[in-house]
Amino acid sequence: MYKNAIVRKPSESLMQGITSATLGTPDIKKALIQYQNYCEALKKCGLNLIETEALPAYPDAVFVEDTAIVTEKCAIITRPGHESRRGEEKSVAQTLSHYRKLEFIQGPATLDGGDIMRVEDHFYIGLSDRTSKDGADQLSAYLSKYGYSSSVIEVGEMLHLKSGINYVGNQIMVVYESLVNLAEIEEFEKIAIPMEESYAANCVLINDYLLVAKGFDLAKKRFKEYGFKIIELEMSEFQKVDGGLSCLSLRF
Protein backbone atom coordinates (compact mmCIF):
# COMPACT_ATOMS: atom_id res chain seq x y z
CA MET A 1 0.00 0.00 0.00
CA TYR A 2 1.26 3.44 -0.89
CA LYS A 3 1.09 6.09 1.82
CA ASN A 4 2.78 9.14 0.31
CA ALA A 5 3.28 10.88 -3.01
CA ILE A 6 5.71 13.63 -3.95
CA VAL A 7 4.25 16.07 -6.49
CA ARG A 8 5.40 19.34 -8.04
CA LYS A 9 3.17 22.07 -9.46
CA PRO A 10 3.86 22.86 -13.13
CA SER A 11 5.40 26.23 -13.96
CA GLU A 12 4.54 28.45 -16.91
CA SER A 13 7.76 27.17 -18.46
CA LEU A 14 5.91 23.87 -19.10
CA MET A 15 5.22 25.35 -22.53
CA GLN A 16 8.92 24.82 -23.31
CA GLY A 17 8.91 21.19 -22.15
CA ILE A 18 10.67 18.48 -24.14
CA THR A 19 8.28 16.80 -26.56
CA SER A 20 8.01 14.57 -29.59
CA ALA A 21 4.24 15.12 -29.77
CA THR A 22 2.54 17.30 -32.36
CA LEU A 23 -0.46 18.24 -30.26
CA GLY A 24 0.29 21.93 -29.78
CA THR A 25 1.53 24.02 -26.88
CA PRO A 26 0.25 23.30 -23.34
CA ASP A 27 -2.24 25.76 -21.87
CA ILE A 28 -0.80 26.44 -18.42
CA LYS A 29 -4.20 27.34 -16.93
CA LYS A 30 -5.65 24.02 -18.07
CA ALA A 31 -2.49 22.22 -16.93
CA LEU A 32 -2.85 23.65 -13.43
CA ILE A 33 -6.49 22.50 -13.26
CA GLN A 34 -5.51 19.03 -14.47
CA TYR A 35 -2.67 18.92 -11.95
CA GLN A 36 -5.03 19.89 -9.12
CA ASN A 37 -7.53 17.22 -10.15
CA TYR A 38 -4.68 14.70 -10.22
CA CYS A 39 -3.69 15.69 -6.68
CA GLU A 40 -7.28 15.29 -5.51
CA ALA A 41 -7.35 11.81 -7.06
CA LEU A 42 -4.20 10.86 -5.15
CA LYS A 43 -5.86 11.99 -1.93
CA LYS A 44 -8.91 9.88 -2.79
CA CYS A 45 -6.54 6.93 -3.12
CA GLY A 46 -5.47 7.56 0.47
CA LEU A 47 -2.14 9.28 -0.14
CA ASN A 48 -0.50 12.05 1.84
CA LEU A 49 0.79 14.64 -0.64
CA ILE A 50 4.24 16.16 -0.30
CA GLU A 51 4.49 19.12 -2.67
CA THR A 52 8.01 20.22 -3.59
CA GLU A 53 8.82 23.70 -4.80
CA ALA A 54 8.06 24.63 -8.40
CA LEU A 55 11.14 24.94 -10.63
CA PRO A 56 10.52 27.45 -13.42
CA ALA A 57 14.06 26.91 -14.75
CA TYR A 58 13.15 23.28 -15.49
CA PRO A 59 10.11 23.06 -17.82
CA ASP A 60 9.70 19.29 -17.24
CA ALA A 61 10.11 19.37 -13.46
CA VAL A 62 6.42 18.52 -12.89
CA PHE A 63 7.33 14.97 -13.95
CA VAL A 64 8.84 14.04 -10.59
CA GLU A 65 8.67 10.27 -11.14
CA ASP A 66 11.81 10.46 -13.26
CA THR A 67 13.96 11.74 -10.39
CA ALA A 68 14.00 8.76 -8.02
CA ILE A 69 13.13 5.11 -7.42
CA VAL A 70 11.76 4.60 -3.92
CA THR A 71 11.64 1.26 -2.12
CA GLU A 72 10.80 0.41 1.49
CA LYS A 73 14.52 0.33 2.30
CA CYS A 74 16.08 3.12 0.26
CA ALA A 75 15.59 5.76 -2.42
CA ILE A 76 17.84 5.80 -5.48
CA ILE A 77 18.22 9.31 -6.90
CA THR A 78 18.50 9.27 -10.67
CA ARG A 79 20.62 11.15 -13.18
CA PRO A 80 18.05 12.23 -15.80
CA GLY A 81 18.74 11.19 -19.36
CA HIS A 82 18.01 14.54 -20.96
CA GLU A 83 20.68 17.10 -20.08
CA SER A 84 18.14 19.90 -19.62
CA ARG A 85 16.52 17.98 -16.75
CA ARG A 86 19.63 17.42 -14.66
CA GLY A 87 19.11 19.34 -11.45
CA GLU A 88 15.44 18.49 -10.99
CA GLU A 89 16.45 15.61 -8.77
CA LYS A 90 18.17 17.77 -6.13
CA SER A 91 15.04 19.05 -4.36
CA VAL A 92 13.44 15.60 -4.56
CA ALA A 93 16.53 14.10 -2.94
CA GLN A 94 16.31 16.66 -0.15
CA THR A 95 12.66 15.77 0.42
CA LEU A 96 13.25 12.02 0.33
CA SER A 97 16.16 12.28 2.76
CA HIS A 98 13.55 12.71 5.52
CA TYR A 99 12.00 9.35 4.64
CA ARG A 100 14.68 7.04 3.23
CA LYS A 101 18.38 6.36 3.03
CA LEU A 102 19.62 7.76 -0.29
CA GLU A 103 21.74 6.22 -3.00
CA PHE A 104 22.77 8.05 -6.19
CA ILE A 105 23.24 7.12 -9.84
CA GLN A 106 26.68 8.39 -10.80
CA GLY A 107 27.54 10.03 -14.14
CA PRO A 108 28.10 9.64 -16.95
CA ALA A 109 25.38 7.01 -16.51
CA THR A 110 21.79 8.13 -17.01
CA LEU A 111 18.53 6.80 -15.64
CA ASP A 112 14.91 8.03 -15.67
CA GLY A 113 12.31 6.77 -13.21
CA GLY A 114 9.82 6.36 -16.04
CA ASP A 115 11.91 3.43 -17.24
CA ILE A 116 11.54 1.53 -13.96
CA MET A 117 8.56 -0.76 -13.37
CA ARG A 118 8.17 -2.62 -10.11
CA VAL A 119 6.45 -6.00 -9.88
CA GLU A 120 6.39 -7.05 -6.22
CA ASP A 121 10.10 -7.27 -5.27
CA HIS A 122 11.37 -7.39 -8.85
CA PHE A 123 12.22 -4.32 -10.91
CA TYR A 124 12.13 -4.17 -14.69
CA ILE A 125 14.61 -1.61 -16.02
CA GLY A 126 13.96 -0.19 -19.46
CA LEU A 127 16.97 0.55 -21.65
CA SER A 128 16.02 3.68 -23.58
CA ASP A 129 17.37 6.95 -24.90
CA ARG A 130 17.00 8.22 -21.32
CA THR A 131 18.33 5.19 -19.40
CA SER A 132 21.77 3.84 -20.29
CA LYS A 133 23.18 0.36 -19.68
CA ASP A 134 25.53 1.82 -17.06
CA GLY A 135 22.57 3.46 -15.33
CA ALA A 136 20.69 0.16 -15.38
CA ASP A 137 23.72 -1.67 -13.97
CA GLN A 138 24.13 0.83 -11.14
CA LEU A 139 20.44 0.62 -10.24
CA SER A 140 20.55 -3.17 -10.36
CA ALA A 141 23.51 -3.19 -7.96
CA TYR A 142 21.73 -0.88 -5.51
CA LEU A 143 18.56 -2.96 -5.66
CA SER A 144 20.52 -6.16 -5.06
CA LYS A 145 22.21 -4.55 -2.05
CA TYR A 146 18.79 -4.11 -0.46
CA GLY A 147 17.45 -7.54 -1.38
CA TYR A 148 15.57 -6.79 -4.62
CA SER A 149 15.96 -8.45 -8.01
CA SER A 150 15.94 -6.79 -11.43
CA SER A 151 16.15 -7.40 -15.16
CA VAL A 152 16.30 -5.24 -18.28
CA ILE A 153 13.95 -4.70 -21.21
CA GLU A 154 14.85 -2.92 -24.44
CA VAL A 155 12.37 -0.07 -24.76
CA GLY A 156 12.62 0.33 -28.53
CA GLU A 157 10.80 3.37 -29.91
CA MET A 158 8.93 4.20 -26.69
CA LEU A 159 10.07 7.20 -24.66
CA HIS A 160 10.05 5.21 -21.41
CA LEU A 161 9.27 1.62 -20.44
CA LYS A 162 6.10 2.73 -18.65
CA SER A 163 4.90 4.57 -21.73
CA GLY A 164 3.72 1.19 -22.97
CA ILE A 165 3.98 -1.40 -20.17
CA ASN A 166 2.49 -1.04 -16.68
CA TYR A 167 1.91 -3.56 -13.92
CA VAL A 168 -1.55 -3.32 -12.32
CA GLY A 169 -1.40 -6.13 -9.76
CA ASN A 170 -2.56 -9.74 -9.72
CA GLN A 171 -0.02 -10.73 -12.38
CA ILE A 172 -1.65 -8.42 -14.94
CA MET A 173 0.17 -6.05 -17.29
CA VAL A 174 -1.36 -3.25 -19.33
CA VAL A 175 0.56 -3.14 -22.60
CA TYR A 176 0.56 -1.75 -26.09
CA GLU A 177 -1.18 -4.24 -28.36
CA SER A 178 2.09 -4.61 -30.28
CA LEU A 179 3.91 -5.81 -27.13
CA VAL A 180 1.65 -8.63 -25.95
CA ASN A 181 4.15 -11.26 -27.09
CA LEU A 182 7.21 -9.62 -25.55
CA ALA A 183 9.32 -12.45 -24.12
CA GLU A 184 10.29 -10.62 -20.92
CA ILE A 185 6.66 -10.42 -19.77
CA GLU A 186 5.28 -13.64 -21.26
CA GLU A 187 4.30 -15.00 -17.83
CA PHE A 188 1.78 -12.22 -17.21
CA GLU A 189 -1.82 -11.82 -18.25
CA LYS A 190 -2.14 -8.80 -20.54
CA ILE A 191 -4.70 -6.07 -21.05
CA ALA A 192 -3.88 -5.05 -24.62
CA ILE A 193 -4.33 -1.39 -25.53
CA PRO A 194 -4.91 -0.69 -29.25
CA MET A 195 -2.29 1.56 -30.78
CA GLU A 196 -4.84 4.25 -31.63
CA GLU A 197 -5.31 4.62 -27.85
CA SER A 198 -1.69 3.93 -26.92
CA TYR A 199 -1.51 6.87 -24.50
CA ALA A 200 -3.98 5.03 -22.24
CA ALA A 201 -1.42 2.29 -21.56
CA ASN A 202 0.24 4.61 -19.05
CA CYS A 203 -2.11 3.96 -16.14
CA VAL A 204 -1.34 3.77 -12.41
CA LEU A 205 -2.66 1.37 -9.78
CA ILE A 206 -2.73 3.20 -6.43
CA ASN A 207 -4.14 1.15 -3.57
CA ASP A 208 -7.82 0.53 -4.43
CA TYR A 209 -7.99 2.60 -7.63
CA LEU A 210 -6.66 2.56 -11.17
CA LEU A 211 -5.91 6.04 -12.50
CA VAL A 212 -6.54 6.21 -16.24
CA ALA A 213 -6.39 8.95 -18.85
CA LYS A 214 -9.77 10.31 -19.89
CA GLY A 215 -11.01 10.08 -23.46
CA PHE A 216 -9.95 6.54 -24.38
CA ASP A 217 -13.16 4.52 -24.51
CA LEU A 218 -11.75 1.18 -25.72
CA ALA A 219 -9.16 1.15 -22.95
CA LYS A 220 -11.73 2.19 -20.37
CA LYS A 221 -14.00 -0.67 -21.42
CA ARG A 222 -11.17 -3.18 -21.02
CA PHE A 223 -10.24 -1.86 -17.59
CA LYS A 224 -13.86 -2.14 -16.46
CA GLU A 225 -14.07 -5.72 -17.78
CA TYR A 226 -11.28 -6.57 -15.34
CA GLY A 227 -13.21 -5.04 -12.46
CA PHE A 228 -10.94 -2.11 -11.69
CA LYS A 229 -12.29 0.87 -9.77
CA ILE A 230 -11.14 3.57 -12.12
CA ILE A 231 -10.58 7.28 -11.75
CA GLU A 232 -10.51 9.06 -15.11
CA LEU A 233 -8.33 12.14 -15.38
CA GLU A 234 -7.99 14.64 -18.20
CA MET A 235 -4.32 14.73 -19.21
CA SER A 236 -4.39 16.67 -22.48
CA GLU A 237 -1.92 19.40 -21.50
CA PHE A 238 0.67 16.96 -20.17
CA GLN A 239 0.26 14.68 -23.17
CA LYS A 240 1.44 17.62 -25.28
CA VAL A 241 4.85 17.39 -23.58
CA ASP A 242 5.15 13.58 -23.50
CA GLY A 243 3.91 13.30 -19.90
CA GLY A 244 1.65 10.59 -18.53
CA LEU A 245 -0.22 9.75 -15.34
CA SER A 246 2.67 7.92 -13.70
CA CYS A 247 5.07 10.80 -14.41
CA LEU A 248 3.26 13.32 -12.23
CA SER A 249 3.98 11.74 -8.85
CA LEU A 250 6.54 9.73 -6.97
CA ARG A 251 4.62 7.23 -4.87
CA PHE A 252 5.93 5.36 -1.83
PDB file of all heavy atoms in Angstrom, residues 7 43 98 152 205 207 215 219:
ATOM      1  N   VAL A   7       4.750  15.420  -5.272  1.00  0.00           N
ATOM      2  CA  VAL A   7       4.248  16.071  -6.487  1.00  0.00           C
ATOM      3  C   VAL A   7       4.914  17.438  -6.597  1.00  0.00           C
ATOM      4  O   VAL A   7       5.466  17.961  -5.627  1.00  0.00           O
ATOM      5  CB  VAL A   7       2.709  16.222  -6.465  1.00  0.00           C
ATOM      6  CG1 VAL A   7       2.019  14.864  -6.517  1.00  0.00           C
ATOM      7  CG2 VAL A   7       2.253  17.009  -5.236  1.00  0.00           C
ATOM      8  N   LYS A  43      -5.289  11.946  -3.291  1.00  0.00           N
ATOM      9  CA  LYS A  43      -5.857  11.989  -1.931  1.00  0.00           C
ATOM     10  C   LYS A  43      -6.993  10.975  -1.788  1.00  0.00           C
ATOM     11  O   LYS A  43      -7.117  10.310  -0.755  1.00  0.00           O
ATOM     12  CB  LYS A  43      -6.361  13.394  -1.622  1.00  0.00           C
ATOM     13  CG  LYS A  43      -5.268  14.433  -1.478  1.00  0.00           C
ATOM     14  CD  LYS A  43      -5.878  15.819  -1.241  1.00  0.00           C
ATOM     15  CE  LYS A  43      -4.829  16.898  -1.201  1.00  0.00           C
ATOM     16  NZ  LYS A  43      -5.437  18.252  -1.044  1.00  0.00           N
ATOM     17  N   HIS A  98      14.295  12.777   4.257  1.00  0.00           N
ATOM     18  CA  HIS A  98      13.554  12.713   5.517  1.00  0.00           C
ATOM     19  C   HIS A  98      12.824  11.381   5.687  1.00  0.00           C
ATOM     20  O   HIS A  98      12.299  11.100   6.770  1.00  0.00           O
ATOM     21  CB  HIS A  98      12.543  13.854   5.596  1.00  0.00           C
ATOM     22  CG  HIS A  98      13.159  15.222   5.533  1.00  0.00           C
ATOM     23  ND1 HIS A  98      13.923  15.746   6.548  1.00  0.00           N
ATOM     24  CD2 HIS A  98      13.137  16.167   4.559  1.00  0.00           C
ATOM     25  CE1 HIS A  98      14.342  16.959   6.219  1.00  0.00           C
ATOM     26  NE2 HIS A  98      13.872  17.241   5.014  1.00  0.00           N
ATOM     27  N   VAL A 152      16.426  -6.343 -17.331  1.00  0.00           N
ATOM     28  CA  VAL A 152      16.300  -5.239 -18.282  1.00  0.00           C
ATOM     29  C   VAL A 152      15.390  -5.609 -19.441  1.00  0.00           C
ATOM     30  O   VAL A 152      15.231  -6.779 -19.790  1.00  0.00           O
ATOM     31  CB  VAL A 152      17.672  -4.779 -18.818  1.00  0.00           C
ATOM     32  CG1 VAL A 152      18.554  -4.295 -17.684  1.00  0.00           C
ATOM     33  CG2 VAL A 152      18.357  -5.894 -19.596  1.00  0.00           C
ATOM     34  N   LEU A 205      -1.905   1.991 -10.861  1.00  0.00           N
ATOM     35  CA  LEU A 205      -2.664   1.374  -9.777  1.00  0.00           C
ATOM     36  C   LEU A 205      -2.165   1.951  -8.457  1.00  0.00           C
ATOM     37  O   LEU A 205      -0.994   1.821  -8.112  1.00  0.00           O
ATOM     38  CB  LEU A 205      -2.484  -0.144  -9.783  1.00  0.00           C
ATOM     39  CG  LEU A 205      -3.282  -0.890  -8.711  1.00  0.00           C
ATOM     40  CD1 LEU A 205      -4.773  -0.825  -9.006  1.00  0.00           C
ATOM     41  CD2 LEU A 205      -2.813  -2.343  -8.598  1.00  0.00           C
ATOM     42  N   ASN A 207      -3.283   1.746  -4.599  1.00  0.00           N
ATOM     43  CA  ASN A 207      -4.137   1.152  -3.566  1.00  0.00           C
ATOM     44  C   ASN A 207      -5.408   0.577  -4.191  1.00  0.00           C
ATOM     45  O   ASN A 207      -5.329  -0.381  -4.949  1.00  0.00           O
ATOM     46  CB  ASN A 207      -4.382   2.171  -2.464  1.00  0.00           C
ATOM     47  CG  ASN A 207      -3.061   2.623  -1.816  1.00  0.00           C
ATOM     48  OD1 ASN A 207      -2.065   1.895  -1.852  1.00  0.00           O
ATOM     49  ND2 ASN A 207      -3.040   3.805  -1.239  1.00  0.00           N
ATOM     50  N   GLY A 215     -10.834   9.904 -22.020  1.00  0.00           N
ATOM     51  CA  GLY A 215     -11.006  10.082 -23.455  1.00  0.00           C
ATOM     52  C   GLY A 215     -10.607   8.878 -24.289  1.00  0.00           C
ATOM     53  O   GLY A 215     -10.513   8.990 -25.518  1.00  0.00           O
ATOM     54  N   ALA A 219      -9.967   1.501 -24.124  1.00  0.00           N
ATOM     55  CA  ALA A 219      -9.157   1.149 -22.953  1.00  0.00           C
ATOM     56  C   ALA A 219     -10.015   1.122 -21.695  1.00  0.00           C
ATOM     57  O   ALA A 219      -9.923   0.193 -20.883  1.00  0.00           O
ATOM     58  CB  ALA A 219      -8.004   2.136 -22.798  1.00  0.00           C
TER      59      ALA A 219
END
